[in-house]
């Protein structure tokens, strides 16, 4: 296995950066308007709607985002027996991030709207403004100015939270960086293992890294479980000997067992 060049590393990191940016942009694009709608529901005079929205916000803000991502991805199968493919991983990431951040933005909007003095509404009514005109022309511009610091804090948090996409084996920037770092060490160790030819050209470092990312084994070049591409460690007897820490990747149980089956051959 040849040494990966700096250009190859930058190319892979750029691809991961594109995925992270995509998660960031999609989340903001949908969660900001959705949060405003949820805020209206939270302030609704209808007790049923208010209670439902309040429970939703409490769940979204009171449970970890990582858990929510796993529920969105695995929920359709375990709850409704709907089979999902690997392409659903990125969509599940989008859905999980949007519904989570919409709950946070909803509370920010609500606090901003309720902080406005009653005199603003009374003055608008005297001037002949309707409710919609009052909100969008008078209240909302002032609310945006008041909530901007809180929204900025959430945006900064979102930048860091994009790394949680690794839970569903989405190849965002930090997952690729960890795979590249692990691959640099494991490529050297693999030189002492028995090698076999591979139809997927795993001798190329980037191919091996992509397989690691795609199957979620960010620290285990040894544990590639593609039947025609298991070249890295025929000499290893167990996953532990192969250097794989299964506990660090809770969403990858199926792949771990398949890798273990290949290791025992």
């Amino acid at each position: 296995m040849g040494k990966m060049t700096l250009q190859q590393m930058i190319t892979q990191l750029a691809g991961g950066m594109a995925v992270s940016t995509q998660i960031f942009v999609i989340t903001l694009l949908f969660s900001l308007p959705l949060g405003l709608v949820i805020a209206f529901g939270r302030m609704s005079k209808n007790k049923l709607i208010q209670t439902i929205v309040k429970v939703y916000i409490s769940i979204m803000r009171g449970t970890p985002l990582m858990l929510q991502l796993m529920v969105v991805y695995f929920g359709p199968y375990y709850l409704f027996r709907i089979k999902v493919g690997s392409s659903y991983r990125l969509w599940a990431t989008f859905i999980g991030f949007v519904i989570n951040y919409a709950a946070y933005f909803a509370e920010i909007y609500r606090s901003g709207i309720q902080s406005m003095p009653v005199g603003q509404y009374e003055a608008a009514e005297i001037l002949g403004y309707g409710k919609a005109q009052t909100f969008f022309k008078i209240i909302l511009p002032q609310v945006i100015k008041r909530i901007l610091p809180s929204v900025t804090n959430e945006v900064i948090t979102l930048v860091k939270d994009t790394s949680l996409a690794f839970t569903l084996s989405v190849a965002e920037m930090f997952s690729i960086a960890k795979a590249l770092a692990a691959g640099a060490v494991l490529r050297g160790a693999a030189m002492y293992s028995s090698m076999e030819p591979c139809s997927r050209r795993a001798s190329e470092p980037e191919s091996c890294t992509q397989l690691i990312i795609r199957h979620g084994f960010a620290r285990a070049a040894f544990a590639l479980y593609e039947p025609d591409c298991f070249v890295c460690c025929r000499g290893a007897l167990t996953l532990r000997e192969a250097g794989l820490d299964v506990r660090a990747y809770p969403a990858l149980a199926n792949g771990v067992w398949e890798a273990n089956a290949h290791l025992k051959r």
Side-chain angles (χ1 to χ4, degrees):
M1 295 186 180
K3 184 178 179 180
M4 182 176 291
T5 64
L6 179 61
Q7 183 178 2
Q8 290 173 327
M9 290 183 181
I10 293 175
T11 300
Q12 292 195 29
L13 288 173
M17 183 64 180
V19 175
S20 296
T21 303
Q22 191 176 8
I23 295 171
F24 176 80
V25 173
I26 293 295
T27 300
L28 286 183
L29 189 63
F30 287 95
S31 62
L32 284 170
L34 180 59
L36 185 59
V37 174
I38 295 171
F40 287 143
R42 179 69 176 82
M43 296 183 293
S44 173
K45 295 180 180 179
N46 187 312
K47 293 296 182 182
L48 178 60
I49 295 177
Q50 187 183 75
T51 302
I52 292 174
V53 173
K54 187 176 181 179
V55 170
Y56 161 76
I57 292 175
S58 297
I59 293 174
M60 290 296 104
R61 298 184 68 190
T63 56
L65 176 56
M66 182 181 293
L67 175 62
Q68 294 170 20
L69 291 173
M70 296 180 71
V71 169
V72 172
Y73 181 69
F74 294 107
Y77 176 77
Y78 287 105
L79 296 178
F80 308 107
R81 295 300 173 184
I82 300 175
K83 293 184 179 180
V84 296
S86 58
S87 60
Y88 178 63
R89 290 175 181 173
L90 188 58
W91 285 103
T93 302
F94 292 151
I95 295 171
F97 272 84
V98 168
I99 62 176
N100 177 272
Y101 273 85
Y104 283 92
F105 287 135
E107 286 297 275
I108 293 174
Y109 282 129
R110 183 176 69 88
S111 64
I113 294 170
Q114 291 182 338
S115 70
M116 298 302 298
V118 179
Q120 297 276 349
Y121 296 92
E122 295 174 347
E125 186 177 358
I126 293 173
L127 292 173
Y129 283 89
K131 290 184 178 180
Q133 289 179 314
T134 300
F135 181 77
F136 288 105
K137 291 186 177 182
I138 299 175
I139 303 301
L140 186 59
Q142 298 180 71
V143 167
I144 291 174
K145 184 178 179 180
R146 292 190 178 193
I147 68 174
L148 193 57
S150 299
V151 171
T152 303
N153 286 339
E154 290 301 321
V155 171
I156 294 172
T157 302
L158 174 59
V159 173
K160 296 182 287 186
D161 280 349
T162 55
S163 63
L164 291 177
F166 89 95
T167 307
L168 302 184
S169 299
V170 174
E172 43 77 42
M173 186 180 67
F174 293 102
S175 295
I176 291 179
K178 288 190 291 185
L180 290 173
V185 176
L186 294 173
R187 279 194 300 274
M191 294 175 61
Y192 299 96
S193 303
S194 57
M195 298 295 177
E196 296 180 3
C198 175
S199 61
R200 290 179 180 267
R201 297 187 303 161
S203 59
E204 299 179 8
E206 63 272 17
S207 300
C208 202
T209 304
Q210 289 169 358
L211 285 171
I212 297 169
I213 295 169
R214 179 155 59 86
H215 296 299
F217 296 103
R219 293 183 58 197
F222 292 122
L224 296 175
Y225 63 87
E226 288 287 329
D228 58 344
C229 197
F230 191 75
V231 301
C232 293
C233 190
R234 285 289 184 179
L237 299 178
T238 66
L239 289 174
R240 179 172 297 180
E241 291 176 5
L244 176 61
D245 184 4
V246 181
R247 294 171 298 178
Y249 305 96
L252 307 170
N254 292 335
V256 169
W257 292 119
E258 290 189 38
N260 196 21
H262 282 291
L263 284 168
K264 290 181 178 178
R265 289 181 183 178

